[in-house]
Amino acid sequence: AQSVTQPDIHITVSEGASLELRCNYSYGATPYLFWYVQSPGQGLQLLLKYFSGDTLVQGIKGFEAEFKRSQSSFNLRKPSVHWSDAAEYFCAVGILTGGGNKLTFGTGTQLKVEL
Amino acid sequence: DAMVIQNPRYQVTQFGKPVTLSCSQTLNHNVMYWYQQKSSQAPKLLFHYYDKDFNNEADTPDNFQSRRPNTSFCFLDIRSPGLGDAAMYLCATSRDLDRERYFGPGTRLTVL
């Protein structure tokens, strides 16, 4: 079964600083890859996705992520963090199975932004 | 704007009293999902509908049921809520099984 690891449970950065959130997955083939953001008491908003093609993916709110097959990673980056980026970030891996589809979430990274 | 709508946003019920949560979508997506998310945890898939076909996750308790009367609406029924069922319930949709999922704002369920 596939698994998703987000090694950082909490990250604190200063406003204006750069950000990188790590995501590693375990799966035999190339899965579909996603990053979602969740503000307190809200649903999940899709930041970006990777299905195939260019391994550097641009998303909303100035975020980007890079798929590195050799490292089984899909890290999320932003060059300059804004206070409004404080939220929880989930990496997710999707694969198609014979019985349907499976989307596995990481445990999330809580981002705190210091002013 | 096309979107996923959940009602109510907050629901309080009593232990053992049946409750129904509602989800509607204007995206005309084929697939609708229900997730349970407890505090500081990742969302956990309960079940999904592909069109009218219902797919239950193996570890979803029988206490949880779902209905999809048409493309736009999907309901989550909790027949006898226990204290452990207090959580955020998220509805999501996707155009197809291998496409990205769009989530609603969630319903926060409290069980007294």
Side-chain angles (χ1 to χ4, degrees):
Chain A
Q2 75 272 26
S3 65
V4 184
T5 302
Q6 292 181 248
D8 303 305
I9 299 174
H10 299 279
I11 281 187
T12 300
V13 298
S14 299
E15 189 176 36
S18 63
L19 172 70
E20 183 169 29
L21 302 182
R22 295 182 291 166
C23 174
N24 292 93
Y25 67 89
S26 172
Y27 180 57
T30 300
Y32 308 118
L33 299 161
F34 309 89
W35 274 99
Y36 286 89
V37 60
Q38 186 177 33
S39 297
Q42 300 295 318
L44 278 71
Q45 182 181 21
L46 180 67
L47 284 175
L48 45 78
K49 60 192 178 192
Y50 174 80
F51 288 103
S52 64
D54 193 345
T55 56
L56 184 61
V57 180
Q58 301 298 321
I60 62 171
K61 303 185 179 186
F63 285 93
E64 66 177 28
E66 186 171 11
F67 168 57
K68 292 186 177 180
R69 186 190 308 273
S70 61
Q71 299 176 19
S72 296
S73 68
F74 189 56
N75 294 349
L76 181 71
R77 299 193 295 250
K78 187 170 184 178
S80 177
V81 169
H82 189 263
W83 64 266
S84 60
D85 293 325
E88 184 142 30
Y89 291 79
F90 290 96
C91 179
V93 169
I95 62 166
L96 281 180
T97 67
N101 79 109
K102 190 76 176 173
L103 187 68
T104 301
F105 286 91
T107 50
T109 297
Q110 186 71 47
L111 174 65
K112 180 179 176 183
V113 180
E114 291 182 332
L115 300 176
Chain B
D1 287 341
M3 56 198 316
V4 182
I5 302 161
Q6 291 189 244
N7 286 305
R9 294 294 311 280
Y10 301 91
Q11 176 74 55
V12 181
T13 190
Q14 293 179 336
F15 183 94
K17 184 175 181 181
V19 66
T20 295
L21 309 183
S22 170
C23 176
S24 64
Q25 54 135 340
T26 61
L27 298 160
N28 203 33
H29 282 173
N30 291 314
V31 194
M32 296 188 76
Y33 310 81
W34 280 104
Y35 286 84
Q36 179 192 64
Q37 187 182 27
K38 296 190 175 180
S39 182
S40 301
Q41 296 183 19
K44 177 181 180 297
L45 181 65
L46 296 174
F47 26 59
H48 74 272
Y49 272 96
Y50 186 95
D51 196 12
K52 295 182 180 180
D53 293 332
F54 178 71
N55 296 271
N56 199 30
E57 292 298 298
D59 57 354
T60 298
D62 293 340
N63 198 28
F64 292 87
Q65 305 285 321
S66 186
R67 296 170 283 135
R68 189 179 185 186
N70 54 53
T71 299
S72 301
F73 284 87
C74 195
F75 300 98
L76 170 63
D77 301 308
I78 308 176
R79 293 192 294 187
S80 182
L83 298 178
D85 296 327
M88 174 77 90
Y89 289 89
L90 297 166
C91 175
T93 73
S94 64
R95 183 155 44 93
D96 211 322
L97 291 173
D98 61 346
R99 306 308 296 180
E100 63 275 18
R101 300 180 194 191
Y102 294 89
F103 285 82
T107 295
R108 170 74 64 187
L109 177 68
T110 299
V111 181
L112 301 178

